[in-house]
Amino acid sequence: MVKHTEPDQTLIKMPSLRAVKSFVAAAKYQNFTRAAEALCVTQAAISRQIRELETYLGAELFKRAGRAVELTAAGAIFFDAAQLSFVNIAQAAERIRSRNVGKRVLTLCCSPAFSAMWLAHRLPSFFSANPDVDLNLITTQNFLSMEPGVRPDIFITKMAKIRAGYRSLPMFHDVIYPVCTPRYLEQHPELGSLEGLRDSVLLNLSPYGRSQVAEHVDWGVWLAFHDVDIEARGSDSPHFFNANDYNMLVQMVLNHQGVALGWHHLVGHLVEQGLLVRPVPEQVVHKESQHYLTFNEDKEDDEACCRLRDWLMEQL
């Protein structure tokens, strides 16, 4: 006698995963058109899937205001659960896929400036020595607010404690000094003094949008360390440019547009190559600003992850 399996009510009552995927994309981008582009479908398909999902749930998921959409209270509840579920599914699939192709996939999280100016030009040496490892890089300025389910193997941050289950290893303090190009210094010999620096074109890193995990050092703070008051800049001084994008500031310096503060671990190689110079010998060693390598304790016995950790510590 054939034994029939009872219907699985949990699976039967599940909404369409295609509709849920459309919903997550629309919630993430707050725009049906961008959601459609992200999923490589039409906007009409996104709208249809979300209408079907709202009908199934018996609740509106979005407030529509022109082209933009916002989650309703019901939508926010559903998004939290759906987003976490998809992240977990994607990570499990990636782990299985990576094992099948003989590669280990490791996740490293750091700031955009660290990734672009410290990591990028060193990665070829790591990949040459570790052909069995693929790297998944996540950059952020706010390490305390990440998408649910994202759990990097290693963080490089200024935070001694990020979350439970991680152990932090201290690496180095910030060493900060002015930098410009040799050509710019030749054209502006007044940069050879602190007062001349103060009255020059200053490219300044602002704190806006950046996670405040340590005291921020800008031109005002740096000059004050050397008993120079930035407020004494003359009214006829050239422009003072603010940006919270450090990569942009360094690119402006390389394009001979002014002087910026250089964090040694980020610009030291450019100074060694002669692309940048230090117009004055003064520097600030910021003893209260420590960088850490923070390691997932669950990966203590993961040989590939330990290789990445040891390589980073050796390089740093």
Side-chain angles (χ1 to χ4, degrees), residues 231-279:
E231 297 299 327
R233 273 171 63 92
S235 58
D236 58 346
S237 295
H239 61 270
F240 185 95
F241 179 76
N242 267 300
N244 66 347
D245 184 343
Y246 191 62
N247 296 337
M248 177 189 180
L249 293 179
V250 172
Q251 192 58 53
M252 291 176 70
V253 173
L254 290 169
N255 288 333
H256 321 290
Q257 296 182 50
V259 188
L261 290 173
W263 273 254
H264 179 70
H265 69 284
L266 300 179
V267 303
H269 67 290
L270 298 175
V271 175
E272 290 177 5
Q273 295 169 20
L275 297 174
L276 296 179
V277 294
R278 299 174 59 171

Side-chain angles (χ1 to χ4, degrees), residues 17-297:
L17 287 182
R18 181 178 297 177
V20 176
K21 184 186 291 187
S22 296
F23 162 74
V24 169
K28 182 176 180 180
Y29 296 106
Q30 297 184 333
N31 183 286
F32 284 9
T33 300
R34 290 185 61 197
E37 292 171 351
L39 296 181
C40 299
V41 298
T42 65
Q43 181 180 341
I46 294 289
S47 298
R48 184 175 62 255
Q49 292 288 347
I50 290 174
R51 280 198 305 271
E52 291 178 4
L53 185 59
E54 288 179 325
T55 299
Y56 175 84
L57 295 173
E60 288 193 353
L61 299 174
F62 292 102
K63 301 173 187 174
R64 294 163 177 83
R67 295 183 178 180
V69 293
E70 296 179 358
L71 287 170
T72 62
I77 292 171
F78 194 68
F79 176 70
D80 287 343
Q83 169 76 350
L84 180 58
S85 297
F86 277 141
V87 168
N88 289 335
I89 292 170
Q91 290 184 340
E94 179 60 26
R95 288 194 296 270
I96 295 170
R97 188 197 66 80
S98 63
R99 279 199 292 266
N100 288 339
V101 299
K103 291 270 192 177
R104 281 300 324 280
V105 178
L106 302 176
T107 300
L108 172 66
C109 183
C110 61
S111 72
F114 187 89
S115 69
M117 303 188 64
W118 188 93
L119 183 63
H121 66 278
R122 289 178 168 87
L123 274 179
S125 70
F126 174 78
F127 289 135
S128 294
N130 299 274
D132 60 324
V133 174
D134 281 342
L135 196 59
N136 175 34
L137 180 67
I138 298 173
T139 64
T140 182
Q141 294 287 15
N142 193 342
F143 298 90
L144 296 177
S145 179
M146 302 185 70
E147 291 186 9
V150 176
R151 190 171 174 81
D153 300 303
I154 294 174
F155 289 89
I156 303 293
T157 76
K158 290 185 179 181
M159 301 178 66
K161 188 69 174 177
I162 292 182
R163 59 179 74 174
Y166 283 82
R167 182 164 58 89
S168 294
L169 307 174
M171 296 187 297
F172 57 89
H173 297 289
D174 277 330
V175 178
I176 309 165
Y177 46 75
V179 289
C180 63
T181 59
R183 187 176 95 183
Y184 193 80
L185 179 57
E186 183 179 351
Q187 294 171 346
H188 300 84
E190 68 275 11
L191 298 178
S193 72
L194 292 177
E195 290 74 16
L197 266 176
R198 177 198 62 199
D199 298 332
S200 67
V201 175
L202 297 181
L203 309 177
N204 189 58
L205 180 64
S206 75
Y208 299 111
R210 306 171 71 247
S211 58
Q212 294 303 289
V213 296
E215 181 184 350
H216 179 66
V217 176
D218 59 11
W219 271 112
V221 173
W222 192 91
L223 288 168
F225 266 96
H226 301 289
D227 300 318
V228 176
D229 185 2
I230 197 169
E231 297 299 327
R233 273 171 63 92
S235 58
D236 58 346
S237 295
H239 61 270
F240 185 95
F241 179 76
N242 267 300
N244 66 347
D245 184 343
Y246 191 62
N247 296 337
M248 177 189 180
L249 293 179
V250 172
Q251 192 58 53
M252 291 176 70
V253 173
L254 290 169
N255 288 333
H256 321 290
Q257 296 182 50
V259 188
L261 290 173
W263 273 254
H264 179 70
H265 69 284
L266 300 179
V267 303
H269 67 290
L270 298 175
V271 175
E272 290 177 5
Q273 295 169 20
L275 297 174
L276 296 179
V277 294
R278 299 174 59 171
V280 294
E282 286 84 359
Q283 63 185 24
V284 168
V285 180
H286 199 199
K287 293 292 187 181
E288 298 189 10
S289 180
Q290 180 89 341
H291 292 254
Y292 298 90
L293 185 152
T294 302
F295 191 75
N296 187 341
E297 292 178 343

